[in-house]
Amino acid sequence: MASTDLTSRPASLQVRAAKTFSLENHNSQLQTRERWEMPFGANLFEAVDCEHEGAMLRGRLLRPSHRDVRHQQGGSVLMFPGATGPSKSYELAMRELADAGYLVLDANMYGEEVDLTSVSTAGQGFADLMADPVRLRGRAIAWFERLRDMAEVDPERIAAIGYCFGGKCVLELARSGAALQMVTSFHGLLTTHAPALPGSIRARVAIWTGGEDPYAPRSDTEAVQAELDAAGADYQLTLFAKARHAFMDPDHDGFAPGIVYDRVAHRIAWAATRALLSETIDATP
């Protein structure tokens, strides 16, 4: 699909320098910072490996800062970043969820050979998976199973959140029938090679999309809504009429044409996602 071919962007494109942002746990307020801070507990990222079709994938785990998850099972969140990998605002969102008591796993969909510090290399990894949607869905399932099978995870209390390409990944998980309680797609790519079958979606689905997103045009929004209706899914689709792509991501504001951060849309979608997590998987064991 031509509208999602990020590899056509010049490799010289860099994320525009801007004031940094920090997600505050209090009412999920987004506040401007002059520098990056670590506003939450001292929890550190732990490496987690996942094998899929001969590729070794390395993700990162954040444990809740105020409970021993090795002896207690609570809610867990599987997170998928955008096509160019985790940004600082994405990592802050992970930390906010861990601080709230969730076990959080960042799923890396690319093999170890993909250098996420290079825009062109990450773009090629993205393009390769988009060209092989069966492998893409299988890899997302592999990450779900990796999290589900951890001893400290309650398999009945797992949610998934994805941004951009990651939004597509969580929707493919939902379409696969994975036993998730909730999936949230932020400005995700909405098309699929295999629409959901009637009765196949177990998760509650939340889609947050922009009315002026060139990577998810209105025709795609209408198609996914028709798909979810036909599948009998429990879903909500929120369209911010004037929002463009990456409205949740201040780090990529102006990265390419059609990519614009929207503070108001971000605050609304994030606050609602926190409420959905509380209602569906609840962090407290």
Side-chain angles (χ1 to χ4, degrees):
M1 184 172 65
S3 63
T4 58
D5 183 8
L6 298 186
T7 61
S8 64
R9 310 299 183 196
S12 60
L13 278 173
Q14 299 295 328
V15 178
R16 189 175 68 185
K19 288 184 178 181
T20 57
F21 293 83
S22 172
L23 287 168
E24 295 291 346
N25 200 27
H26 179 63
N27 294 327
S28 297
Q29 298 295 316
L30 192 70
Q31 298 182 346
T32 302
R33 299 292 191 190
E34 294 301 325
R35 61 185 176 84
W36 281 107
E37 298 177 357
M38 203 69 73
F40 309 114
N43 42 355
L44 301 175
F45 289 110
E46 300 175 25
V48 174
D49 290 333
C50 176
E51 191 276 334
H52 179 252
E53 294 186 351
M56 183 56 65
L57 316 170
R58 173 152 291 186
R60 299 175 301 164
L61 186 73
L62 271 183
R63 299 182 185 276
S65 56
H66 62 269
R67 68 180 172 91
D68 184 356
V69 294
R70 292 176 177 84
H71 299 93
Q72 295 177 298
Q73 291 182 326
S76 300
V77 182
L78 180 62
M79 291 185 64
F80 294 83
T84 57
S87 63
K88 289 184 177 180
S89 58
Y90 172 91
E91 291 178 349
L92 284 170
M94 288 183 65
R95 291 189 179 279
E96 179 176 332
L97 295 180
D99 191 63
Y102 297 101
L103 182 75
V104 186
L105 177 60
D106 165 39
N108 180 358
M109 290 287 285
Y110 308 140
E112 292 182 315
E113 71 280 2
V114 175
D115 178 8
L116 291 178
T117 66
S118 165
V119 173
S120 59
T121 304
Q124 188 58 55
F126 162 77
D128 289 346
L129 283 175
M130 289 294 291
D132 190 350
V134 174
R135 181 161 59 106
L136 186 157
R137 181 181 289 190
R139 188 160 291 184
I141 293 171
W143 271 117
F144 165 71
E145 292 175 344
R146 181 69 176 88
L147 176 62
R148 181 199 63 194
D149 294 343
M150 291 180 181
E152 58 267 46
V153 170
D154 181 346
E156 301 299 320
R157 297 166 67 184
I158 302 175
I161 296 173
Y163 298 70
C164 179
F165 171 58
K168 177 178 177 62
C169 293
V170 301
L171 291 177
E172 292 300 326
L173 267 180
R175 289 169 170 129
S176 77
L180 291 152
Q181 297 304 308
M182 187 270 282
V183 302
T184 288
S185 170
F186 294 132
H187 42 81
L189 309 179
L190 304 176
T191 58
T192 184
H193 68 293
L197 298 174
S200 63
I201 296 180
R202 304 187 196 183
R204 178 166 184 161
V205 177
I207 295 174
W208 306 86
T209 192
E212 296 184 1
D213 185 341
Y215 302 101
R218 294 290 183 101
S219 58
D220 289 357
T221 302
E222 293 167 0
V224 75
Q225 186 170 9
E227 175 194 356
L228 295 174
D229 282 336
D234 181 3
Y235 77 96
Q236 66 181 67
L237 192 155
T238 302
L239 185 145
F240 297 104
K242 296 301 182 180
R244 300 184 185 182
H245 192 63
F247 58 80
M248 295 285 291
D249 186 357
D251 300 297
H252 285 78
D253 185 25
F255 178 81
I259 296 180
V260 179
Y261 175 63
D262 187 318
R263 180 175 180 271
V264 173
H266 185 175
R267 291 181 62 188
I268 292 170
W270 183 250
T273 297
R274 287 294 306 271
L276 282 169
L277 288 171
S278 178
E279 291 295 326
T280 55
I281 64 172
D282 191 17
T284 307

